Amino acid sequence: MNDNLMSVVEQYGTDDKCRACLVALKWPNGIECPRCQSKKAISRIAAREVYDCDSCRYQFSVTAGSIFHDSHLPLTKWFFATYVMVESKKGVSANQLKRMLGVSYKTAWYLCHRIRKAMDEAKPEQIGAGNVVEIDETYVGGKRRHVGAGNLDNKTMVLGALERGGDVRIRVEKKKRASKETLHSFIKENTHDATEMICTDEQPAYNGIQDWNTRHESVNHKAEEWVRGDVHTNGIEGVWSLFKRSIVGSYHQVSAKHLQSYLDEFEWRFNQRENPYLFRDTLVRMLNSPKMEFKELIEKSA
Ligand SMILES: [Zn+2]
């Protein structure tokens, strides 16, 4: 797929074209009955957009069980929304999507969250085996009534781990401050046992994270030490500034309860930065991720 805007309009401008694309993505080796796995004698009932399996008489559609299913939205709008969310470097807000697609705010918001949901990595692998991982924490959102050091009460702490030249992992923390317990459990959860070196700043809560095959080195930012040989946290700090620009650019304000889903989208897009098949891969994820009702979505994010 060549994914510029004009080619998206050309290739996916009608629901039939979108459906044919989904069929090709779901069954690259030919249409298969989901119940009996037969590939023979599957007939298409065009009027209802379903397939009929001659072996077991099961009827199914390409979108059955996926997040496209039961949606009153035309597939063309799903495709366009996905394209825009995948391609825009800074992310897209529900308001922008509402204007672009000519849908209600509620629908746009729903689309954003469903597409983001599909972008979530089902099971993130640990990063850093045989390599260097940079760890840092940052604070996002909230209004600071009393500006001054140490007053972070309205802000949300976000922890990040970046494998040099590789993937990033970002998590929202419920705790307001970086304790040793919080930082260490984040690192153990997200970095591989065989990480060669963990780089942090001088924050004492990181101390003791090294073990027999993982070094821990830190730079002392308070003493204006930023780089010492290959010890630095410039990579993860670059990720923070990218993320903060993306919040300012598109979301204006991100409520704490939705922050993790924005972070998931950001993380995913960052980790896919060199994937030329991003649009296609997202559609495949959407085909394979279970549908989620509006009510459930609201409950989950509450
Ligand atoms: Zn069958």
Side-chain angles (χ1 to χ4, degrees), residues 263-285:
L263 283 165
D264 289 342
E265 185 204 345
F266 176 84
E267 174 183 304
W268 183 80
R269 187 182 290 116
F270 184 90
N271 293 341
Q272 300 287 336
R273 62 199 181 277
E274 283 165 24
N275 178 1
Y277 305 111
L278 200 49
F279 179 54
R280 183 196 68 187
D281 287 358
T282 306
L283 290 174
V284 171
R285 275 165 186 263

mmCIF file of all heavy atoms in Angstrom, residues 263-285:
data_model
loop_
_atom_site.group_PDB
_atom_site.id
_atom_site.type_symbol
_atom_site.label_atom_id
_atom_site.label_comp_id
_atom_site.label_asym_id
_atom_site.label_seq_id
_atom_site.Cartn_x
_atom_site.Cartn_y
_atom_site.Cartn_z
ATOM 1 N N LEU A 263 -1.004 8.060 25.695
ATOM 2 C CA LEU A 263 0.371 7.573 25.774
ATOM 3 C C LEU A 263 0.549 6.289 24.978
ATOM 4 O O LEU A 263 1.561 6.098 24.318
ATOM 5 C CB LEU A 263 0.763 7.335 27.235
ATOM 6 C CG LEU A 263 1.090 8.596 28.025
ATOM 7 C CD1 LEU A 263 1.091 8.308 29.515
ATOM 8 C CD2 LEU A 263 2.430 9.165 27.603
ATOM 9 N N ASP A 264 -0.464 5.421 25.024
ATOM 10 C CA ASP A 264 -0.385 4.178 24.263
ATOM 11 C C ASP A 264 -0.264 4.465 22.774
ATOM 12 O O ASP A 264 0.524 3.843 22.065
ATOM 13 C CB ASP A 264 -1.628 3.309 24.507
ATOM 14 C CG ASP A 264 -1.646 2.709 25.895
ATOM 15 O OD1 ASP A 264 -0.571 2.676 26.539
ATOM 16 O OD2 ASP A 264 -2.723 2.287 26.343
ATOM 17 N N GLU A 265 -1.089 5.414 22.315
ATOM 18 C CA GLU A 265 -1.041 5.760 20.903
ATOM 19 C C GLU A 265 0.315 6.345 20.535
ATOM 20 O O GLU A 265 0.918 5.991 19.535
ATOM 21 C CB GLU A 265 -2.134 6.777 20.555
ATOM 22 C CG GLU A 265 -2.194 7.073 19.068
ATOM 23 C CD GLU A 265 -2.810 8.424 18.738
ATOM 24 O OE1 GLU A 265 -3.447 9.025 19.623
ATOM 25 O OE2 GLU A 265 -2.646 8.872 17.606
ATOM 26 N N PHE A 266 0.798 7.237 21.404
ATOM 27 C CA PHE A 266 2.096 7.865 21.159
ATOM 28 C C PHE A 266 3.213 6.827 21.138
ATOM 29 O O PHE A 266 4.064 6.813 20.250
ATOM 30 C CB PHE A 266 2.367 8.922 22.234
ATOM 31 C CG PHE A 266 3.717 9.553 22.108
ATOM 32 C CD1 PHE A 266 3.922 10.626 21.248
ATOM 33 C CD2 PHE A 266 4.794 9.056 22.829
ATOM 34 C CE1 PHE A 266 5.179 11.192 21.115
ATOM 35 C CE2 PHE A 266 6.055 9.621 22.698
ATOM 36 C CZ PHE A 266 6.246 10.688 21.838
ATOM 37 N N GLU A 267 3.187 5.949 22.137
ATOM 38 C CA GLU A 267 4.200 4.893 22.249
ATOM 39 C C GLU A 267 4.209 4.027 20.990
ATOM 40 O O GLU A 267 5.242 3.734 20.408
ATOM 41 C CB GLU A 267 3.910 4.025 23.483
ATOM 42 C CG GLU A 267 4.812 2.807 23.608
ATOM 43 C CD GLU A 267 4.438 1.927 24.801
ATOM 44 O OE1 GLU A 267 4.397 2.425 25.930
ATOM 45 O OE2 GLU A 267 4.198 0.724 24.590
ATOM 46 N N TRP A 268 2.986 3.648 20.600
ATOM 47 C CA TRP A 268 2.866 2.778 19.445
ATOM 48 C C TRP A 268 3.390 3.460 18.186
ATOM 49 O O TRP A 268 4.156 2.893 17.419
ATOM 50 C CB TRP A 268 1.403 2.373 19.278
ATOM 51 C CG TRP A 268 1.188 1.424 18.169
ATOM 52 C CD1 TRP A 268 1.394 0.083 18.188
ATOM 53 C CD2 TRP A 268 0.759 1.748 16.852
ATOM 54 N NE1 TRP A 268 1.109 -0.455 16.965
ATOM 55 C CE2 TRP A 268 0.717 0.555 16.135
ATOM 56 C CE3 TRP A 268 0.399 2.940 16.225
ATOM 57 C CZ2 TRP A 268 0.325 0.500 14.808
ATOM 58 C CZ3 TRP A 268 0.008 2.885 14.906
ATOM 59 C CH2 TRP A 268 -0.027 1.683 14.215
ATOM 60 N N ARG A 269 3.005 4.726 17.979
ATOM 61 C CA ARG A 269 3.440 5.438 16.786
ATOM 62 C C ARG A 269 4.955 5.606 16.779
ATOM 63 O O ARG A 269 5.620 5.454 15.766
ATOM 64 C CB ARG A 269 2.746 6.801 16.675
ATOM 65 C CG ARG A 269 3.053 7.482 15.351
ATOM 66 C CD ARG A 269 2.439 8.848 15.227
ATOM 67 N NE ARG A 269 1.012 8.797 15.093
ATOM 68 C CZ ARG A 269 0.159 9.287 15.974
ATOM 69 N NH1 ARG A 269 0.606 9.879 17.056
ATOM 70 N NH2 ARG A 269 -1.118 9.190 15.783
ATOM 71 N N PHE A 270 5.505 5.917 17.956
ATOM 72 C CA PHE A 270 6.958 6.071 18.070
ATOM 73 C C PHE A 270 7.663 4.762 17.705
ATOM 74 O O PHE A 270 8.631 4.746 16.946
ATOM 75 C CB PHE A 270 7.321 6.495 19.495
ATOM 76 C CG PHE A 270 8.786 6.775 19.675
ATOM 77 C CD1 PHE A 270 9.310 8.049 19.464
ATOM 78 C CD2 PHE A 270 9.659 5.759 20.058
ATOM 79 C CE1 PHE A 270 10.666 8.301 19.616
ATOM 80 C CE2 PHE A 270 11.024 5.993 20.210
ATOM 81 C CZ PHE A 270 11.525 7.274 19.987
ATOM 82 N N ASN A 271 7.160 3.658 18.247
ATOM 83 C CA ASN A 271 7.803 2.365 18.016
ATOM 84 C C ASN A 271 7.644 1.882 16.574
ATOM 85 O O ASN A 271 8.391 1.030 16.123
ATOM 86 C CB ASN A 271 7.271 1.312 18.989
ATOM 87 C CG ASN A 271 7.670 1.628 20.419
ATOM 88 O OD1 ASN A 271 8.608 2.390 20.653
ATOM 89 N ND2 ASN A 271 6.960 1.059 21.372
ATOM 90 N N GLN A 272 6.666 2.451 15.875
ATOM 91 C CA GLN A 272 6.435 2.069 14.478
ATOM 92 C C GLN A 272 7.041 3.083 13.521
ATOM 93 O O GLN A 272 6.704 3.092 12.337
ATOM 94 C CB GLN A 272 4.927 1.980 14.196
ATOM 95 C CG GLN A 272 4.185 0.982 15.044
ATOM 96 C CD GLN A 272 4.465 -0.447 14.643
ATOM 97 O OE1 GLN A 272 4.845 -0.717 13.518
ATOM 98 N NE2 GLN A 272 4.293 -1.356 15.581
ATOM 99 N N ARG A 273 7.935 3.959 14.043
ATOM 100 C CA ARG A 273 8.372 5.092 13.227
ATOM 101 C C ARG A 273 9.067 4.681 11.940
ATOM 102 O O ARG A 273 9.159 5.461 11.009
ATOM 103 C CB ARG A 273 9.251 6.037 14.046
ATOM 104 C CG ARG A 273 10.564 5.436 14.571
ATOM 105 C CD ARG A 273 11.091 6.287 15.723
ATOM 106 N NE ARG A 273 12.350 5.783 16.263
ATOM 107 C CZ ARG A 273 12.450 4.805 17.154
ATOM 108 N NH1 ARG A 273 11.361 4.196 17.576
ATOM 109 N NH2 ARG A 273 13.632 4.427 17.601
ATOM 110 N N GLU A 274 9.583 3.463 11.884
ATOM 111 C CA GLU A 274 10.242 3.054 10.648
ATOM 112 C C GLU A 274 9.463 1.974 9.896
ATOM 113 O O GLU A 274 10.003 1.329 9.016
ATOM 114 C CB GLU A 274 11.667 2.604 10.945
ATOM 115 C CG GLU A 274 12.555 3.826 11.164
ATOM 116 C CD GLU A 274 13.877 3.508 11.806
ATOM 117 O OE1 GLU A 274 14.331 2.355 11.692
ATOM 118 O OE2 GLU A 274 14.445 4.412 12.433
ATOM 119 N N ASN A 275 8.211 1.813 10.260
ATOM 120 C CA ASN A 275 7.391 0.801 9.590
ATOM 121 C C ASN A 275 6.615 1.421 8.424
ATOM 122 O O ASN A 275 5.733 2.241 8.629
ATOM 123 C CB ASN A 275 6.404 0.200 10.609
ATOM 124 C CG ASN A 275 5.475 -0.826 9.984
ATOM 125 O OD1 ASN A 275 5.558 -1.115 8.795
ATOM 126 N ND2 ASN A 275 4.582 -1.369 10.798
ATOM 127 N N PRO A 276 6.936 1.039 7.178
ATOM 128 C CA PRO A 276 6.235 1.632 6.038
ATOM 129 C C PRO A 276 4.813 1.084 5.863
ATOM 130 O O PRO A 276 4.061 1.595 5.038
ATOM 131 C CB PRO A 276 7.115 1.238 4.846
ATOM 132 C CG PRO A 276 7.816 -0.001 5.269
ATOM 133 C CD PRO A 276 7.973 0.071 6.770
ATOM 134 N N TYR A 277 4.454 0.066 6.636
ATOM 135 C CA TYR A 277 3.129 -0.548 6.467
ATOM 136 C C TYR A 277 2.201 -0.263 7.638
ATOM 137 O O TYR A 277 1.355 -1.079 8.001
ATOM 138 C CB TYR A 277 3.280 -2.067 6.282
ATOM 139 C CG TYR A 277 4.196 -2.412 5.158
ATOM 140 C CD1 TYR A 277 5.428 -2.979 5.401
ATOM 141 C CD2 TYR A 277 3.816 -2.142 3.840
ATOM 142 C CE1 TYR A 277 6.281 -3.288 4.354
ATOM 143 C CE2 TYR A 277 4.670 -2.435 2.785
ATOM 144 C CZ TYR A 277 5.898 -3.009 3.042
ATOM 145 O OH TYR A 277 6.733 -3.294 2.010
ATOM 146 N N LEU A 278 2.397 0.907 8.245
ATOM 147 C CA LEU A 278 1.681 1.265 9.454
ATOM 148 C C LEU A 278 0.160 1.227 9.290
ATOM 149 O O LEU A 278 -0.552 0.674 10.135
ATOM 150 C CB LEU A 278 2.112 2.685 9.839
ATOM 151 C CG LEU A 278 1.894 3.121 11.258
ATOM 152 C CD1 LEU A 278 2.420 2.077 12.217
ATOM 153 C CD2 LEU A 278 2.620 4.440 11.486
ATOM 154 N N PHE A 279 -0.333 1.809 8.208
ATOM 155 C CA PHE A 279 -1.774 1.877 7.969
ATOM 156 C C PHE A 279 -2.344 0.465 7.853
ATOM 157 O O PHE A 279 -3.308 0.101 8.531
ATOM 158 C CB PHE A 279 -2.024 2.692 6.696
ATOM 159 C CG PHE A 279 -3.468 2.841 6.305
ATOM 160 C CD1 PHE A 279 -4.395 3.345 7.198
ATOM 161 C CD2 PHE A 279 -3.892 2.505 5.021
ATOM 162 C CE1 PHE A 279 -5.728 3.497 6.834
ATOM 163 C CE2 PHE A 279 -5.212 2.658 4.648
ATOM 164 C CZ PHE A 279 -6.134 3.141 5.560
ATOM 165 N N ARG A 280 -1.699 -0.354 7.041
ATOM 166 C CA ARG A 280 -2.152 -1.727 6.850
ATOM 167 C C ARG A 280 -2.116 -2.495 8.184
ATOM 168 O O ARG A 280 -3.068 -3.191 8.546
ATOM 169 C CB ARG A 280 -1.232 -2.417 5.827
ATOM 170 C CG ARG A 280 -1.655 -3.831 5.500
ATOM 171 C CD ARG A 280 -0.539 -4.598 4.827
ATOM 172 N NE ARG A 280 0.561 -4.826 5.754
ATOM 173 C CZ ARG A 280 1.727 -5.358 5.399
ATOM 174 N NH1 ARG A 280 1.956 -5.690 4.160
ATOM 175 N NH2 ARG A 280 2.670 -5.545 6.296
ATOM 176 N N ASP A 281 -1.025 -2.344 8.929
ATOM 177 C CA ASP A 281 -0.897 -3.080 10.190
ATOM 178 C C ASP A 281 -1.970 -2.672 11.193
ATOM 179 O O ASP A 281 -2.454 -3.491 11.968
ATOM 180 C CB ASP A 281 0.490 -2.860 10.798
ATOM 181 C CG ASP A 281 1.571 -3.607 10.025
ATOM 182 O OD1 ASP A 281 1.220 -4.315 9.059
ATOM 183 O OD2 ASP A 281 2.753 -3.475 10.380
ATOM 184 N N THR A 282 -2.317 -1.373 11.184
ATOM 185 C CA THR A 282 -3.372 -0.921 12.101
ATOM 186 C C THR A 282 -4.720 -1.518 11.719
ATOM 187 O O THR A 282 -5.480 -1.956 12.587
ATOM 188 C CB THR A 282 -3.468 0.617 12.096
ATOM 189 O OG1 THR A 282 -2.184 1.141 12.368
ATOM 190 C CG2 THR A 282 -4.446 1.116 13.144
ATOM 191 N N LEU A 283 -4.993 -1.565 10.421
ATOM 192 C CA LEU A 283 -6.257 -2.178 9.980
ATOM 193 C C LEU A 283 -6.310 -3.649 10.403
ATOM 194 O O LEU A 283 -7.347 -4.135 10.857
ATOM 195 C CB LEU A 283 -6.411 -2.059 8.459
ATOM 196 C CG LEU A 283 -6.678 -0.661 7.906
ATOM 197 C CD1 LEU A 283 -6.670 -0.686 6.384
ATOM 198 C CD2 LEU A 283 -8.008 -0.096 8.419
ATOM 199 N N VAL A 284 -5.198 -4.335 10.300
ATOM 200 C CA VAL A 284 -5.160 -5.747 10.701
ATOM 201 C C VAL A 284 -5.443 -5.872 12.200
ATOM 202 O O VAL A 284 -6.233 -6.717 12.633
ATOM 203 C CB VAL A 284 -3.792 -6.394 10.355
ATOM 204 C CG1 VAL A 284 -3.671 -7.779 10.974
ATOM 205 C CG2 VAL A 284 -3.619 -6.482 8.841
ATOM 206 N N ARG A 285 -4.836 -4.990 12.983
ATOM 207 C CA ARG A 285 -5.109 -5.007 14.419
ATOM 208 C C ARG A 285 -6.583 -4.758 14.712
ATOM 209 O O ARG A 285 -7.169 -5.348 15.604
ATOM 210 C CB ARG A 285 -4.337 -3.888 15.119
ATOM 211 C CG ARG A 285 -2.941 -4.248 15.472
ATOM 212 C CD ARG A 285 -2.207 -2.957 15.801
ATOM 213 N NE ARG A 285 -0.809 -3.241 16.024
ATOM 214 C CZ ARG A 285 -0.294 -3.417 17.223
ATOM 215 N NH1 ARG A 285 -1.042 -3.324 18.292
ATOM 216 N NH2 ARG A 285 0.980 -3.683 17.362
#
